[in-house]
Amino acid sequence: MSVSQKGLLGAGAALIALMGVAVTTVSGIQATNANSISSQQAPRLLAQTTKELTIVFPTRADSTDLQSKADAVAAFLSKDLGIRVKAVVGDDTAAVEALRANRADVAFLSSRPALKAEQLANARLYLAEVRDNYSGRFTYNSVFVVRNDSPLKARNNAKTTLEQLRGKKMAFTSPTSGSGFIFPVSELVRQGLVPNRDRLDGFFGQVSYGGNYSKALQAVVRGQAEVAAVSEYALLPPYITPEERNQLRVLYKISGVPAHGIAIDDDVDPRLRERLISSLLKLNQPQNNQLLRNLYNSTELVRVDHGRHLAPVRQALQRVGIEP
């Protein structure tokens, strides 16, 4: 595995669960012409040479009872591949660290951690999640949200609309959030309203961080902030109630935020990687689809090109002045 020397991520408490996971990689698979292996022989060969794959399923605000749901997906993949697949629940940081340290082979990741996984572990995204509440199928919008009775209105162009935010009380989601900070600040930089993420106080009257989508939006509902930056799907339950949603409206949206996806470590043999991707895509089939929906409310998995899919977040980070 190619490992960056720029330093390691702090894994946090969730990493403890991964410390005892012994992962047998597929480096011992003998070089064999794939065309000489029949579809009946391939699962048996993989079962003999690869004892286990470990997949990390990060916790998310809209996921509940995740371990049992992840176990169900792992059981499906295990049966389809003919090898043991183990599901481990952690956070994004622990997932990236597990890939780097060869304690995991696969991880469901959001876009910025996926860039970090590429940097530290040479892992790449091969699949992206599709949701009904994503405007772009496997991309979604970052949105500036205000109260219905706010005097702020959409103007003729982006700059004049966002210029109205000058001097206002702004609630971002968190300094690490893609749609709740990185993309909104990148748009402000692109429009020439702020020079970088360190100069926000010179534009806004007040800057606060809700810590999550719900709290950022509730700050606007309660009048503690005049504007919040969140993902478009945060305007739906379980993030806020219908009553809270009725008090809010979108002032401005930024499209093209990359959807979460599935990263596979470079240590996974290419033949096994393709079989794993094929198995994961079987979760799109009607008889298996509920397994996928149960995880993160995704309706479908689609193949994506790692570089093309993550290009928008890479560009936004560069514009804001943040390392991946």
Side-chain angles (χ1 to χ4, degrees):
M1 171 181 289
S2 170
V3 181
S4 170
Q5 299 302 315
K6 294 184 180 178
L8 307 180
L9 293 178
L15 181 57
I16 295 174
L18 296 168
M19 294 297 290
V21 177
V23 179
T24 302
T25 65
V26 297
S27 57
I29 294 180
Q30 294 180 351
T32 307
N33 187 336
N35 294 328
S36 69
I37 304 174
S38 70
S39 59
Q40 292 79 13
Q41 292 172 316
R44 183 175 300 173
L45 174 62
L46 291 173
Q48 291 172 347
T49 56
T50 304
K51 294 182 180 179
E52 181 176 291
L53 284 176
T54 298
I55 304 179
V56 186
F57 295 81
T59 52
R60 297 181 190 168
D62 54 351
S63 61
T64 58
D65 193 20
L66 183 57
Q67 185 67 64
S68 64
K69 295 171 182 176
D71 286 340
V73 171
F76 168 83
L77 296 174
S78 182
K79 181 178 180 181
D80 198 60
L81 290 170
I83 61 174
R84 186 181 182 218
V85 178
K86 181 178 178 64
V88 178
V89 172
D91 59 22
D92 280 321
T93 300
V96 174
E97 171 62 13
L99 290 171
R100 184 206 64 80
N102 281 348
R103 285 190 289 268
D105 307 285
V106 184
F108 283 69
L109 294 174
S110 54
S111 57
R112 189 180 176 192
L115 288 178
K116 202 68 176 177
E118 177 190 15
Q119 181 188 61
L120 295 181
N122 203 28
R124 299 178 69 81
L125 279 185
Y126 289 89
L127 297 169
E129 300 174 40
V130 175
R131 288 193 192 182
D132 289 334
N133 52 14
Y134 285 172
S135 292
R137 194 160 176 253
F138 52 90
T139 65
Y140 57 92
N141 294 336
S142 167
V143 292
F144 287 93
V145 178
V146 298
R147 283 181 58 93
N148 275 334
D149 57 4
S150 170
L152 305 179
K153 307 291 183 184
R155 303 300 182 186
N156 293 334
N157 56 57
K159 186 169 185 176
T160 54
T161 297
L162 294 174
E163 173 67 41
Q164 298 174 95
L165 304 185
R166 188 180 298 276
K168 299 297 186 289
K169 293 185 290 184
M170 179 75 207
F172 290 107
T173 299
S174 79
T176 60
S177 173
S179 56
F181 183 77
I182 294 167
F183 276 87
V185 175
S186 172
E187 182 68 5
L188 293 172
V189 174
R190 190 171 78 90
Q191 298 299 334
L193 298 173
V194 300
N196 55 53
R197 52 134 180 202
D198 296 321
R199 302 288 295 278
L200 297 177
D201 289 341
F203 180 74
F204 294 108
Q206 173 186 303
V207 175
S208 61
Y209 298 93
N212 58 45
Y213 294 142
S214 301
K215 291 179 181 177
L217 289 170
Q218 287 165 0
V220 175
V221 170
R222 296 167 183 167
Q224 298 164 338
E226 294 168 274
V227 190
V230 298
S231 296
E232 62 180 335
Y233 56 81
L235 290 167
L236 300 170
Y239 299 96
I240 58 174
T241 66
E243 292 74 21
E244 290 170 331
R245 175 64 182 93
N246 288 336
Q247 299 178 59
L248 301 170
R249 61 180 167 84
V250 173
L251 174 69
Y252 184 80
K253 63 184 180 181
I254 304 155
S255 61
V257 180
H260 300 189
I262 301 176
I264 303 176
D265 189 69
D266 68 331
D267 275 354
V268 176
D269 181 271
R271 291 170 296 174
L272 177 55
R273 182 185 68 217
E274 285 306 308
R275 285 183 49 74
L276 174 61
I277 291 170
S278 295
S279 291
L280 286 163
L281 288 173
K282 289 180 182 178
L283 294 172
N284 295 340
Q285 297 172 358
Q287 65 270 29
N288 307 319
N289 194 238
Q290 195 59 49
L291 291 171
L292 178 64
R293 290 172 179 264
N294 287 344
L295 283 175
Y296 304 116
N297 298 315
S298 303
T299 59
E300 184 183 358
L301 295 172
V302 294
R303 286 183 182 262
V304 291
D305 176 81
H306 173 88
R308 188 177 300 114
H309 184 65
L310 296 180
V313 70
R314 197 187 302 272
Q315 183 182 53
L317 286 166
Q318 290 172 347
R319 189 179 284 141
V320 170
I322 300 177
E323 290 291 325

